[in-house]
Amino acid sequence: ATLNGFEDTVTASKQVRNGLMAALEYKPNDKFHSVLDLYYSKFEQRRNYRALMSNLGATWNAATEPQYSNVKVGEVNGDQFVTQATIGNLKPVHLSQYNTRDDDIAAFGWNNKWKLGDNWVAAADLSYSRAKRQEQFMDLSAGAPGTTSLGIDVQTGSGISQVTTQFNYADASKLLLSDPGGWGRDGRSNYPMSKDEIKALRLSAKRDMTGFFSSMELGLNLNERVKNVDMVEYQLNLKNNRAPVAVPASFLLGNSSLAFGGIPAILSYDVMGVKDALYTQTEIGADQTFARHYGVSEKVNTAYVQGNIDTSLFGYPLRGNLGLQYVRTQQ
């Protein structure tokens, strides 16, 4: 047995969240009490991924089948396993990703209580919340001009497995933007967007009583939720009929270290700048992405009446409640 593949990744991210929360309370007398809660939050995330990955297992295609040499075998849970080898006829993928995320969240709740006479207490609770999210997931692939070889040193106990490369993936003059993985595209870009809203109104009244029931409650809850999801997806291909090309010097950002996995460095570049300058984008047809465009609307209305029990029976305390509830859901 051997590894089917590997992926070494380094990530750099920046996250910023700004929030505001406030509470306003009003109680002019002992008959009325009102509280208003306000909340707002804005979150921004920018993230870059740099990775090197490759298939190492069978491909069902003799022309692309990995070629193993200098093989050393160890035992893992009683099975023979390739722990060291040189593997040729490979086309590893240098993958660069740029992801963004912007969240906008707002909510408020307004609770009011009234004392009506000596026995009645009424309450009204109004709430609203909204969450919006916009994201972008973009990746571009690159690789060596042809096939190359890798060395693997798999750790079966403690430690991190190591990979050594014959090709220098930090050499901007030789690394080519292309489709080494044979994915049928040179890159992709997705733009997921969603909006979620919840509105709710709760009305209730409670009366203190004497007798078997210590109090009686009745109320009405109205809830409405609407969610819309939309994702536009693009396939990115290099201009000039997808001819492989080196990253222009003006977009280079230096190197990223994958030394933890045995790879000294891989090339880093401005993904957005390279995409705008060198790629064409084509929206993937609606027949393939219809499930990513949808909306859900749900209403849940509840009415209830409830008697609360706080008494004694045969000298023993008895507590509980007895009630009736009606729920109607429409989606």
Side-chain angles (χ1 to χ4, degrees):
T2 185
L3 290 178
N4 283 327
F6 80 93
E7 178 178 344
D8 281 353
T9 305
V10 62
T11 304
S13 63
K14 179 181 180 181
Q15 299 176 342
V16 178
R17 183 185 297 276
N18 294 307
L20 174 66
M21 185 171 64
L24 303 175
E25 187 172 5
Y26 179 61
K27 189 176 182 182
N29 50 54
D30 61 355
K31 301 291 186 181
F32 177 66
H33 186 195
S34 179
V35 178
L36 177 65
D37 293 308
L38 302 169
Y39 176 79
Y40 177 77
S41 173
K42 187 173 183 63
F43 174 74
E44 296 180 358
Q45 177 178 275
R46 302 294 180 263
R47 180 167 289 175
N48 285 281
Y49 298 82
R50 317 290 181 190
L52 186 68
M53 61 185 68
S54 180
N55 168 65
L56 300 176
T59 64
W60 307 102
N61 184 337
T64 59
E65 198 73 16
Q67 299 172 354
Y68 277 73
S69 62
N70 305 318
V71 176
K72 292 186 178 181
V73 177
E75 188 174 290
V76 180
N77 297 326
D79 296 323
Q80 297 298 302
F81 190 84
V82 175
T83 56
Q84 292 182 358
T86 301
I87 311 172
N89 201 35
L90 297 177
K91 290 188 175 182
V93 179
H94 175 294
L95 193 69
S96 296
Q97 294 181 326
Y98 177 68
N99 300 340
T100 68
R101 173 179 156 185
D102 294 278
D103 292 349
D104 191 279
I105 302 172
F108 80 84
W110 188 22
N111 180 267
N112 299 276
K113 293 182 180 179
W114 296 268
K115 289 186 65 176
L116 307 174
D118 295 330
N119 297 319
W120 283 95
V121 175
D125 201 335
L126 178 66
S127 64
Y128 171 82
S129 64
R130 182 213 68 214
K132 294 192 297 183
R133 173 176 291 181
Q134 290 186 317
E135 296 180 274
Q136 178 187 26
F137 297 91
M138 179 181 297
D139 63 61
L140 302 177
S141 58
T147 60
T148 185
S149 64
L150 297 172
I152 60 169
D153 184 0
V154 181
Q155 302 299 308
T156 58
S158 60
I160 300 175
S161 298
Q162 302 291 295
V163 177
T164 56
T165 60
Q166 180 189 57
F167 180 78
N168 182 5
Y169 288 90
D171 190 339
S173 66
K174 295 180 180 179
L175 183 71
L176 298 179
L177 298 166
S178 54
D179 179 21
W183 297 335
R185 53 173 172 76
D186 301 322
R188 65 176 177 177
S189 185
N190 300 334
Y191 297 86
M193 294 172 284
S194 64
K195 183 178 181 180
D196 203 336
E197 286 185 301
I198 300 177
K199 304 173 185 177
L201 173 64
R202 178 184 177 94
L203 303 173
S204 65
K206 180 179 179 181
R207 174 183 170 83
D208 292 330
M209 304 172 64
T210 58
F212 184 75
F213 289 105
S214 60
S215 64
M216 184 69 67
E217 293 183 48
L218 58 127
L220 179 67
N221 299 330
L222 306 176
N223 293 273
E224 180 178 356
R225 180 176 181 179
V226 178
K227 181 171 184 175
N228 291 290
V229 175
D230 184 41
M231 186 174 82
V232 181
E233 183 174 358
Y234 294 96
Q235 178 173 287
L236 304 177
N237 286 318
L238 286 159
K239 298 176 181 178
N240 300 321
N241 296 318
R242 302 183 63 193
V245 62
V247 178
S250 59
F251 298 111
L252 297 178
L253 299 176
N255 298 326
S256 296
S257 174
L258 294 177
F260 66 89
I263 304 169
I266 62 174
L267 192 68
S268 295
Y269 57 87
D270 178 0
V271 177
M272 285 295 294
V274 168
K275 174 259 181 184
D276 292 339
L278 302 180
Y279 290 77
T280 60
Q281 65 179 27
T282 304
E283 184 174 355
I284 294 179
D287 59 329
Q288 298 183 45
T289 61
F290 70 93
R292 299 171 183 174
H293 307 268
Y294 65 89
V296 180
S297 177
E298 182 180 71
K299 294 181 180 180
V300 181
N301 298 328
T302 305
Y304 70 94
V305 58
Q306 174 179 301
N308 299 310
I309 303 168
D310 188 359
T311 184
S312 60
L313 184 66
F314 304 117
Y316 294 96
L318 177 65
R319 295 178 181 176
N321 57 63
L322 181 67
L324 180 67
Q325 178 172 267
Y326 171 80
V327 181
R328 183 176 187 270
T329 301
Q330 182 179 9
Q331 190 178 76

